[in-house]
Amino acid sequence: MISVVADVTESKKSERDRRFFMELFENTDDVAVMKDTQLRYVGVNRACLQLFGLDGPGSVIGKTDEELFRGLATPQEIAAFSDNDGQAMALPRGQSLVVEEQITGADGIQTFLTRKFPIYDEKGEKILGTGTLSSEISDRKRMEEELRLALRRADELRSQAQAATEAKSAFLAVMSHEIRTPLNGIIGFLDLLSETDLTPLQRDHLSYAEASAQSLLAITGNVLDISKIEAGALELESLTTDLAATVRQALAIAHYGARAKGIELRLKIADDVPPYIVTDPLRLHQVLVNLVGNGVKFTEKGFVEVAVTFQEDGGRGAFSFSVTDTGIGIGTEQKRRLFKAFAQGDSSTARHYGGTGLGLAIAAGILERMGSALKLESRPGEGSCFSFTLVADGACGEPPGEGKVAREDLTVIERERPPIIVIADDIEPNRRLIGELLRTLLPGASLFEAVDGREALEFFLKENPDLIVMDLKMPLLDGLEAADLIRREGNASGRRRTPIVAVTADTQATTRRESLESGIDAFLTKPVDGRELRRLLERFLGEPRGLLLSKDSHRKRASGPPGLTIRLGPPLPGTDRHEEDSAC
């Protein structure tokens, strides 16, 4: 008897490994296939058969992609399968090719994320074929495409919204100019007319016309401001601002209305409040004017008090403002809609007190833009207290003046001859109004009128004027372009710097920045205020003897057309810095 003993341990291990591999191959959810070097199928798993609706391995083994997918995929897609297999076979052992492949059938496009790799013999020397693992990612691709389209649509909508905002901002700037320009003429000439010899009846009629014009100006300003706030086009500046002066000016505007009703105006500024705050002075003033005016409007007796306190806040300061009145007060239901545009407490309030209902909405919108919030404490019949806090830098000393950029080139020259002034505006009534104001303030001045920026430039080159007063929005060559050319020509010829004052209804910060960059030195906001014009003349031309009217002679008739003078008005009423109860 012959016995043969053989060690089958390695054989059993190989069989076990093969079995594990086949189980993994068959049960994976990914499509798994193997091809020989002729790119014919030598093995497919259950997922592949199910995905493509094949009967069994026999319907696949030995076939090429061309034979298997004819009619199921496009010729280009089939060619891509073979090309990717060829690239995979050229790879070293252990490397793989990852690509996206797709099949376009009757039900649409199926997309696969595919990893193809070479299969070598045990020694890693001879290529036997390729292996492929594919995961269907059609749903993911659809979601990615939907997301991509959604993001593109969102970008388009964002761009449209931005364009709409910019268009609205531009529209507001144009409307501000177009509305304030005729109002400038109306208010200015009414002001001049009031200084002529009028009968009592004519003066009475004139006072109503002036009040109506000022009311229209205020309403126009409010509507434009609330539109800017809603459009996100409200711009802010950051300037060192005299805090006490800003508050006093707000009280001064309400002075006459309070005096007519016998209401007391009070101002309390705590001792530790810095004299200057770094903020937007125009918008802070606007908020205070609205709140104080609101308090006077709804108070029949008692007082309206403005209080300012200060508290250190991490290196900066918290400036707290409150406006308290003893008026009619506000109920809980009314508070909910009080800060909405065109809203008032209730219909009876609107009928009794009038107004547009924009003041508080504008104040709240400005404060929100400034990083603050308007708060209200009130009870019916007990008055109201509106308050807000601005976190800002405080400062001591003198604040910087307007337009510090390159202002060292400006000189005040004492001269024997009267000053030469160019007035540039495409609208004749505006030129006439500025001219009459200047003739009143500077009786001997030589005035030249230009209808656009081109003529202003010509007058500058020919006459070498001492001052240019120029509208920003003009045809052919606008104020910004003209100022830039004037500065270039002046620098090239070595002339002294001629001050340029821009007359504009556009109060946006970007417009002012662009103006200063173009060479503008100062601004006159429409409607033109005679006192502000006087201040600018004193700043840029000095006050040579006989050149400017004295403070006591501002009501004398000017040279020029008979009966035309300028009413500069009384100085703004002031208060002591820390505390004053001023009976109005």
Side-chain angles (χ1 to χ4, degrees):
M1 184 176 64
I2 300 174
S3 297
V4 178
V5 179
D7 188 353
V8 295
T9 303
E10 289 298 324
S11 176
K12 289 183 177 180
K13 182 176 182 298
S14 297
E15 177 64 23
R16 184 190 63 187
D17 291 344
R18 190 183 71 83
R19 188 70 240 165
F20 284 167
F21 170 77
M22 290 305 299
E23 287 296 326
L24 178 64
F25 182 78
E26 282 294 328
N27 290 288
T28 180
D29 290 333
D30 291 340
V31 172
V33 302
M34 291 179 289
K35 299 177 184 177
D36 60 20
T37 56
Q38 301 301 311
L39 302 184
R40 295 183 178 278
Y41 285 86
V42 295
V44 295
N45 69 346
R46 187 182 300 114
C48 178
L49 298 174
Q50 291 175 347
L51 180 66
F52 297 112
L54 301 173
D55 296 332
S59 62
V60 179
I61 301 302
K63 292 184 178 180
T64 63
D65 289 324
E66 169 68 26
E67 295 167 336
L68 184 62
F69 289 104
R70 186 182 299 120
L72 298 178
T74 66
Q76 293 82 5
E77 293 168 345
I78 295 172
F81 300 158
S82 299
D83 183 62
N84 292 335
D85 284 325
Q87 293 183 52
M89 276 199 295
L91 294 175
R93 187 176 187 178
Q95 293 189 16
S96 61
L97 174 70
V98 179
V99 294
E100 284 189 10
E101 296 179 328
Q102 66 181 32
I103 296 175
T104 303
D107 296 330
I109 297 176
Q110 289 177 291
T111 304
F112 299 86
L113 181 62
T114 299
R115 180 183 298 272
K116 293 177 179 285
F117 50 90
I119 299 176
Y120 284 84
D121 62 11
E122 292 181 356
K123 294 182 180 181
E125 297 175 353
K126 183 180 180 181
I127 185 75
L128 302 178
T130 63
T132 299
L133 294 174
S134 296
S135 299
E136 186 177 9
I137 57 171
S138 303
D139 291 340
R140 193 183 83 182
K141 294 294 290 184
R142 275 193 292 270
M143 287 188 290
E144 288 177 353
E145 179 65 13
E146 291 172 359
L147 178 60
R148 187 185 67 80
L149 293 175
L151 290 175
R152 186 173 70 179
R153 180 56 178 163
D155 286 338
E156 292 174 354
L157 292 174
R158 189 181 302 109
S159 298
Q160 292 173 8
Q162 180 65 26
T165 297
E166 292 174 357
K168 189 170 184 178
S169 181
F171 172 77
L172 291 172
V174 171
M175 290 307 299
S176 178
H177 174 78
E178 295 300 327
I179 294 174
R180 286 178 180 267
T181 294
L183 279 175
N184 177 55
I186 293 170
I187 293 173
F189 282 110
L190 286 176
D191 197 31
L192 292 172
L193 183 61
S194 68
E195 294 301 318
T196 63
D197 293 327
L198 299 173
T199 67
L201 180 61
Q202 289 172 329
R203 192 165 297 281
D204 187 53
H205 291 170
L206 182 61
S207 68
Y208 283 116
E210 287 179 321
S212 298
Q214 291 292 345
S215 177
L216 179 58
L217 177 64
I219 292 172
T220 300
N222 284 341
V223 171
L224 290 172
D225 281 339
I226 199 67
S227 298
K228 289 178 183 178
I229 290 170
E230 292 175 348
L234 187 71
E235 297 179 321
L236 299 176
E237 293 184 296
S238 184
L239 303 174
T240 302
T241 303
D242 187 327
L243 189 147
T246 301
V247 179
R248 284 199 300 268
Q249 289 169 2
L251 284 169
I253 291 176
H255 174 81
Y256 299 105
R259 183 176 61 184
K261 300 176 74 173
I263 297 170
E264 186 180 20
L265 292 183
R266 300 176 181 177
L267 171 59
K268 293 183 178 180
I269 301 180
D271 292 335
D272 61 346
V273 176
Y276 300 103
I277 177 176
V278 180
T279 187
D280 188 317
L282 174 65
R283 297 306 178 185
L284 175 58
H285 176 265
Q286 187 176 6
V287 169
L288 292 172
V289 166
N290 279 342
L291 296 181
V292 173
N294 198 67
V296 171
K297 179 179 179 179
F298 293 103
T299 300
E300 298 301 329
K301 61 180 180 179
F303 64 86
V304 175
E305 178 183 279
V306 179
V308 186
T309 59
F310 177 79
Q311 185 176 355
E312 289 286 347
D313 185 7
R316 306 186 76 192
F319 293 80
S320 296
F321 299 80
S322 65
V323 179
T324 305
D325 64 61
T326 56
I328 61 175
I330 303 167
T332 302
E333 289 298 322
Q334 297 169 327
K335 291 179 184 178
R336 294 194 179 99
R337 58 176 179 272
L338 198 60
F339 296 149
K340 296 181 179 179
F342 304 102
Q344 291 184 333
D346 54 37
S347 58
S348 62
T349 301
R351 287 194 302 271
H352 183 76
Y353 293 97
T356 60
L358 288 174
L360 291 179
I362 290 172
I366 291 173
L367 290 173
E368 182 179 356
R369 184 73 176 81
M370 297 174 79
S372 183
L374 185 58
K375 300 178 181 178
L376 168 63
E377 295 180 7
S378 181
R379 291 183 179 179
E382 297 182 12
S384 304
C385 178
F386 292 89
S387 62
F388 62 92
T389 299
L390 296 178
V391 177
D393 292 326
C396 297
E398 291 297 322
E402 178 182 36
K404 283 293 184 181
V405 179
R407 297 301 175 259
E408 64 275 5
D409 296 332
L410 293 175
T411 55
V412 176
I413 300 178
E414 298 282 348
R415 58 178 69 81
E416 294 183 359
R417 66 170 176 80
I420 298 173
I421 301 176
V422 174
I423 305 168
D425 198 307
D426 59 311
I427 299 177
E428 194 277 333
N430 289 344
R431 298 196 302 272
R432 173 73 182 275
L433 175 62
I434 297 294
E436 298 303 337
L437 295 177
L438 290 172
R439 288 189 184 94
T440 300
L441 294 170
L442 299 171
S446 297
L447 305 181
F448 292 85
E449 293 187 2
V451 298
D452 54 42
R454 218 170 35 178
E455 286 194 3
L457 177 61
E458 292 174 0
F459 277 122
F460 167 75
L461 296 174
K462 181 180 179 181
E463 303 294 339
N464 194 24
D466 302 291
L467 179 67
I468 298 173
V469 181
M470 182 162 56
D471 187 45
L472 286 185
K473 295 186 181 297
M474 296 181 291
L476 300 181
L477 193 68
D478 65 26
L480 294 180
E481 296 169 327
D484 183 62
L485 289 174
I486 288 170
R487 293 300 176 227
R488 292 186 186 183
E489 292 290 342
N491 292 335
S493 60
R495 302 187 186 201
R496 65 179 177 82
R497 186 183 177 95
T498 299
I500 302 176
V501 176
V503 183
T504 178
D506 187 354
T507 59
Q508 296 185 90
T510 51
T511 300
R512 293 190 173 245
R513 284 195 297 270
E514 292 171 357
S515 299
L516 292 174
E517 291 169 359
S518 298
I520 300 293
D521 297 293
F523 303 89
L524 270 176
T525 302
K526 297 177 181 179
V528 174
D529 186 334
R531 287 170 295 185
E532 181 63 14
L533 180 58
R534 173 195 282 275
R535 185 184 71 79
L536 292 175
L537 293 176
E538 291 174 348
R539 172 184 169 190
F540 293 126
L541 300 180
E543 196 168 357
R545 181 181 303 174
L547 200 59
L548 288 175
L549 295 179
S550 67
K551 183 177 180 180
D552 297 330
S553 64
H554 68 271
R555 289 181 178 276
K556 294 182 180 179
R557 298 187 187 281
S559 60
L564 286 171
T565 58
I566 174 64
R567 182 181 69 219
L568 297 181
L572 292 174
T575 64
D576 291 337
R577 167 166 169 73
H578 299 300
E579 180 172 344
E580 177 165 324
D581 294 347
S582 172
C584 297

